[in-house]
Every structure is written in C-alpha cells, then in structure tokens.
Amino acid sequence: MRQNPPQTQFINLDRLPYLEANPLNNGINTVCIPIPSAELVRLDFMFGGGTWVQRQPLQAMLALRLIREGAKNLTSQQINEKLDFYGATFTPNVSKTYSALTVICLRKYLRQVTDIVAHILRQPVYEPEPFQVTVQQLFSAFMMKMERVKTRAERLFDESLFGKTHPMTNYEYQEDFARLSIPLITDYYHDFIGSRNCTIFMTGACDGECRKIISDTFGSDDWGSTTEWSYVKNQLYATELNPKTLENKLFRFDMPQKGVQSALFAGCVLERPQGKQHASLILANMLFGGFFGSRLMKNIREEKGYTYGIGSALAANHRCHVLCIQTETANQYVEEVIKEIKNEIYKLTEQKVSDEELNTVKKYYSGNLCRSYEANFSYPAYLIRKIGQGNAKLDTLQMQQFIKEVTAEEIQQTIASCFNPERFIWCVAG
C-alpha cells in the first residue's frame, strides 16, 4: 500500500495546437486542426447569434434542431437513413451568443456526408409533423424540468439580476409554446444561418483532398442568411447589461409541492477583467469554490455535511462575468449554508491563503488548461466557447504566465473586491 502521494507540479504549456485559418471563396473562415493519424473528420459550423438575438424563446434552438428534419427533395427519413448509412453524427448546439452544428464522419465518406449536410444547410424545409412532435417533446421536458428546485433557483437568480426581458434571461415559459410556429423558425434561419455568418472548424484528417471537398461544397457561393458576422457581433456588444441594484437581498420561490431539499444560487455581476486581474479572478474562484478541494467543499460538504456538493463558477459573455455559487441542501440547512458561504469569504479577505494551497490551485489550473488544449476532437468545442464568450484574442500562454505570477496578496485583494457578500443576491427555491 502506497504511503506517500505522487509528486505534483505546474504543467507548462509551451506551445498550442497547430491551427490553419483560411477563408473560402465566399468568405467563410475555416480553421483546420490537423491530426495526421486520424481516420475521422469533425466539422463544426459556428453561426453567430444564439438565444441572445432570438425574438422569442426556443426560436434559435428549434431552427437548429429541426434543420435535419427535411430539405428540398429529401424527407426526414431519407436524411437520417443517408447519415446512418455513412455512420455520420449530426449534433446541434445553441448557446447564448452562437449556434453550432457538429458533424463527425469517416474520412473516406467525407464527400458523401458533406453533400448531404450542404443540402440540409442550403435548402432546409421545416415540416409540420416533425415540428409538432418536437414542440410536444420540449413541452413535456419543460414541465418536468420546472419541478426541479435547481431550475427554479437558477431562473430566479438570473431574472433577479437582469429582469425577465434581457437576453441573459431568455427563458421559455408555458405560454411560449403556444406561440411557436414554422414561420417563426424559418425567420431565424433566414436571419442567422448562412455563409456570411459562419465559421467552419475542421479537425482530424485535414489533407489537401479534405480541404478541397470543404471548399467545393461550402465555399463556392453564398448560401442561407445574408447577415454578416460583424453585424451579429455588434448586436451582442451593443446590448446594455444594466443589472438591477439588489445588493444583499434574499429571494425565495416556494415550490408547489414541498420537498426535502432546497436549491441555492447566489452571486453578483462583475466587470470583465483584463490581464493579470483576470488570472487573479480565475484563481480566486477556484480557491473559493471552483474545484473539489475548494474552501466551500471542505467546509460545507466535508466538515459540516450540509450538502453533497457546492461550487462557484464564473460565467463569461461579451460584456461581463457573473459570479455564481450554487448548491442543494436540506431545507433546514439553507440559512446555515448561507452563513458558511459568507464566513469563507470573510476568512479569505482577512487572512492570506498559504503558499501550499495557492500552489495546489495553480497546478490544478495548469492541468485543466492542458486538457482543454489537447489537439484532439474536443479542442474545437473549446475554441467555439472562447469565441462565443468574446475571448477570441485571449493570449493563452500569456495568461498561463500571469497565473504563475499571481501572489497570495493579489488573491486576497480580488476576494475582497469581487466576492463581497454585501453585493450578492441570494435566491432559494424549495
């Protein structure tokens, strides 16, 4: 039996995966991430927009989800049979600031699969039957989701900060399902899904033949929406945040059927940090509640036993960061959990973190960074998230150096300025 733990160290990321960026003839920017030994090709089509610019809840998601359910001269069944025959996957994903389609197939079938995908993207037909079935499925999932305390607390938190009409809180409600229609979904396609608002990420086999296939299939002419990427980006940046002034207030939502647990969401809006200040904020959040060995986990989970898990996260967008602490606990422990969260913040502001604890957090960060930048098929998803958050120009190697240089004094100052409990709102559902 081993008596001593293994040695740990800060992992230096000395170089990033090789990227090749080239525009196609119609202006689509393509980013290639070559993996010479791969027999698979992953294509990610990123379209600016997402729920931030939709006119009604569910509009963006349905436009992407239903896009494979029919095209000119192709039924849903024919599309699915063709994709299944070539072993291809077709996965939509909608975020606040972008929509994405991920297609994975064998290199030898790239030509056949891209022909199908191009036909779907260029000439989608939103059929009534798949539309009605999907809406009914979404409604059933919505009704189940709204019975969870976590869902209620999360919505209460976002809406308490920004109000119900802001793009940050573009949640669906029961009455929204009745307002959905095929013309509404088609409108989103015509507004945001097209060559002028698209970036293609190609991972895996990226030789000359594969690139020519992509260029011939998607880059020969304009297709879909005529909206420019720069216009969508300007819309994102133009939206005012104006979070409500609700410092240190407690909001409660009483569930229709009382359960034994309550969900707690707490936090505040932070100005978007830059440079070393950003590095300090990342480490401060990790130390406080950002990984399994954080202060919140040690105190509230391990020592007090109030919850199975508790954590804090920094949600980034083009305009700000939102600090959010979340957990679920027995109803009788809610006040105690809030008290202990505040106590942990006060401890961190009154006493500097030890070098040993700070180094542990830095090593954890370095490991996460290396995993994110592995040149494998998960890397494009990381790049797309960065672009969607407005971090396309973030210098990763410089950030790594900033992380190494952050001191205990700077962590203490960051906690004091950004994690002030008097600025938090506390939202409980249960």
Side-chain angles (χ1 to χ4, degrees):
M1 182 176 178
R2 185 168 189 165
Q3 300 296 320
N4 299 316
Q7 291 284 328
T8 61
Q9 63 180 5
F10 188 96
I11 304 173
N12 283 298
L13 188 66
D14 56 355
R15 58 188 173 84
L16 302 180
Y18 179 62
L19 303 178
E20 298 177 10
N22 294 292
L24 302 182
N25 290 336
N26 59 358
I28 291 180
N29 189 36
T30 61
V31 179
C32 293
I33 308 167
I35 305 177
S37 60
E39 289 298 320
L40 289 174
V41 179
R42 168 174 171 156
L43 298 176
D44 291 271
F45 300 83
M46 179 183 183
F47 304 96
T51 61
W52 195 282
V53 296
Q54 67 184 4
R55 297 202 302 273
Q56 181 183 315
L58 300 171
Q59 184 190 24
M61 189 270 288
L62 279 171
L64 263 290
R65 182 163 171 173
L66 291 172
I67 202 167
R68 67 174 287 175
E69 297 299 330
K72 187 176 180 180
N73 301 324
L74 281 178
T75 65
S76 173
Q77 181 178 349
Q78 290 172 325
I79 291 172
N80 290 324
E81 285 177 353
K82 286 175 178 288
L83 291 173
D84 287 345
F85 178 80
Y86 294 114
T89 65
F90 188 100
T91 309
N93 175 39
V94 177
S95 178
K96 288 192 181 299
T97 56
Y98 64 86
S99 302
L101 289 170
T102 300
V103 179
I104 301 176
C105 68
L106 287 169
R107 178 189 181 280
K108 63 182 179 180
Y109 295 136
L110 181 62
R111 171 72 70 178
Q112 293 90 331
V113 171
T114 53
D115 284 344
I116 300 167
V117 173
H119 188 66
I120 295 170
L121 288 176
R122 288 171 179 268
Q123 302 181 75
V125 176
Y126 295 103
E127 298 285 0
E129 185 177 350
F131 169 78
Q132 292 168 2
V133 170
T134 303
V135 170
Q136 185 57 51
Q137 290 172 343
L138 291 174
F139 182 74
S140 299
F142 166 81
M143 296 303 291
M144 292 176 61
K145 185 170 65 173
M146 295 304 288
E147 295 177 2
R148 301 171 188 162
V149 290
K150 180 180 178 181
T151 300
R152 293 288 192 175
E154 182 179 14
R155 288 184 173 220
L156 182 61
F157 176 73
D158 288 339
E159 291 173 355
S160 298
L161 279 179
F162 299 105
K164 289 187 177 182
T165 59
H166 193 275
M168 284 289 291
T169 58
N170 206 327
Y171 292 117
E172 69 274 19
Y173 287 87
Q174 190 167 340
E175 59 270 21
D176 291 321
F177 290 88
R179 291 198 288 261
L180 292 170
S181 66
I182 290 177
L184 183 74
I185 308 308
T186 306
D187 285 347
Y188 186 89
Y189 170 84
H190 289 306
D191 287 342
F192 298 106
I193 301 176
S195 57
R196 296 190 181 185
N197 186 34
C198 179
T199 299
I200 299 176
F201 297 83
M202 185 164 121
T203 312
C206 294
D207 57 21
E209 181 184 355
C210 292
R211 296 183 200 193
K212 186 176 187 306
I213 291 173
I214 299 304
S215 179
D216 292 345
T217 310
F218 299 102
S220 58
D221 58 0
D222 284 336
W223 47 268
S225 169
T226 58
T227 302
E228 298 282 352
W229 179 281
S230 57
Y231 172 77
V232 178
K233 188 175 179 181
N234 288 338
Q235 281 187 293
L236 299 176
Y237 278 101
T239 306
E240 293 295 332
L241 284 176
N242 296 328
K244 296 182 178 180
T245 305
L246 299 168
E247 297 181 358
N248 202 26
K249 289 192 176 182
L250 176 63
F251 298 86
R252 289 187 180 273
F253 179 88
D254 292 325
M255 300 294 289
Q257 294 182 340
K258 282 287 185 180
V260 296
Q261 283 201 146
S262 293
L264 168 67
F265 275 66
C268 62
V269 176
L270 304 174
E271 291 186 8
R272 191 168 177 126
Q274 302 295 330
K276 197 171 183 181
Q277 184 187 16
H278 189 192
S280 180
L281 181 60
I282 289 173
L283 290 181
N285 176 66
M286 283 190 170
L287 177 70
F288 176 60
F291 76 119
F292 196 78
S294 67
R295 293 287 185 93
L296 291 181
M297 286 290 282
K298 288 178 180 176
N299 178 352
I300 297 173
R301 179 187 188 275
E302 295 178 17
E303 296 178 14
K304 303 293 192 306
Y306 291 151
T307 180
Y308 284 113
I310 183 170
S312 63
L314 295 167
N317 60 53
H318 286 75
R319 304 300 305 276
C320 71
H321 279 49
V322 177
L323 171 65
C324 179
I325 304 156
Q326 57 177 294
T327 188
E328 291 183 41
T329 186
N331 297 329
Q332 64 268 29
Y333 295 139
V334 170
E335 299 300 331
E336 287 298 317
V337 169
I338 293 175
K339 176 183 174 183
E340 292 303 325
I341 290 172
K342 292 180 179 180
N343 285 342
E344 287 303 321
I345 295 175
Y346 294 141
K347 288 178 186 177
L348 285 167
T349 56
E350 293 166 2
Q351 185 176 1
K352 287 190 298 185
V353 61
S354 68
D355 290 339
E356 180 182 3
E357 189 175 9
L358 181 56
N359 286 333
T360 297
V361 174
K362 289 183 177 183
K363 292 171 187 176
Y364 180 84
Y365 170 86
S366 72
N368 269 353
L369 186 65
C370 288
R371 279 193 293 272
S372 298
Y373 276 89
E374 285 175 345
N376 57 25
F377 287 92
S378 64
Y379 184 46
Y382 179 77
L383 290 178
I384 290 172
R385 284 197 305 273
K386 279 183 60 179
I387 296 171
Q389 294 170 355
N391 289 333
K393 296 182 179 179
L394 183 65
D395 189 328
T396 302
L397 298 182
Q398 185 183 48
M399 176 59 70
Q400 178 182 248
Q401 186 60 38
F402 286 151
I403 291 287
K404 294 174 71 174
E405 295 171 356
V406 170
T407 64
E409 289 81 5
E410 289 169 329
I411 294 290
Q412 189 177 24
Q413 293 170 7
T414 299
I415 294 285
S417 62
C418 299
F419 290 65
N420 183 357
E422 299 305 313
R423 294 182 53 210
F424 284 10
I425 63 166
W426 309 82
C427 297
V428 179

